[in-house]
Amino acid sequence: DTAVSQTPKYLVTQMGNDKSIKCEQNLGHDTMYWYKQDSKKFLKIMFSYNNKELIINETVPNRFSPKSPDKAHLNLHINSLELGDSAVYFCASSLGAFGGDTEAFFGQGTRLTVV
Amino acid sequence: AQRVTQPEKLLSVFKGAPVELKCNYSYSGSPELFWYVQYSRQRLQLLLRHISRESIKGFTADLNKGETSFHLKKPFAQEEDSAMYYCALGNNDMRFGAGTRLTVKP
């Protein structure tokens, strides 16, 4: 009954490959996020979707493409992986995007290692 | 601009000592502030939020609008408090500070 689940938990892949990370939430939330946690543990927002619509797209290379088939899922697809993409990626969800109950619930993270 | 600053990347205290993790924010409206914690090998989770004025695991945080701060405090640190702590501003989306790694030594 995990609230926000990501798969896979670990992903090791070679440079140049294309990979996807899946995220699902069963909380009925409207908003989902992708965050990147770098080696210095800094958490940076990458994307935010509200009801399947993209509302935040930070300065992220075009190789990163989020896909939201429904409001319970937000998958992250990465093309042509580079060494610098190695990080832990967190998916999160919240009830609303603006004010109100904006507590975010996080997945366990996906540790991506590009070799 | 919406920004959160945690000036200390590392903080080390002895067990039983008071601890304060600093957080300053920049937001033109009325902020919604949170503290999140990430214990070793665990997911990021909410510790507390200012709107509920709660105390979780002995931690409290008071919003000071004059100083634009939301410092996290605990009077007597425990070893199990060792973790990564993030301050977050959650008005339009969830923006995090850089995080502070707290180490509580025995």
Side-chain angles (χ1 to χ4, degrees), chain A residues 49-83:
Chain A
Y49 268 72
N50 182 261
N51 268 319
K52 302 197 309 178
E53 285 190 34
L54 180 67
I55 55 173
I56 290 175
N57 183 354
E58 293 292 298
T59 307
V60 175
N62 290 337
R63 300 181 293 103
F64 290 80
S65 54
K67 289 181 171 52
S68 183
D70 54 61
K71 75 172 194 177
H73 295 84
L74 181 62
N75 303 323
L76 184 65
H77 189 76
I78 314 170
N79 289 328
S80 303
L81 278 155
E82 300 177 356
L83 292 177

Side-chain angles (χ1 to χ4, degrees), chain B residues 56-69:
Chain B
I56 303 293
K57 299 185 179 182
F59 284 97
T60 58
D62 290 318
L63 174 61
N64 185 322
K65 289 189 177 181
E67 296 181 359
T68 60
S69 68

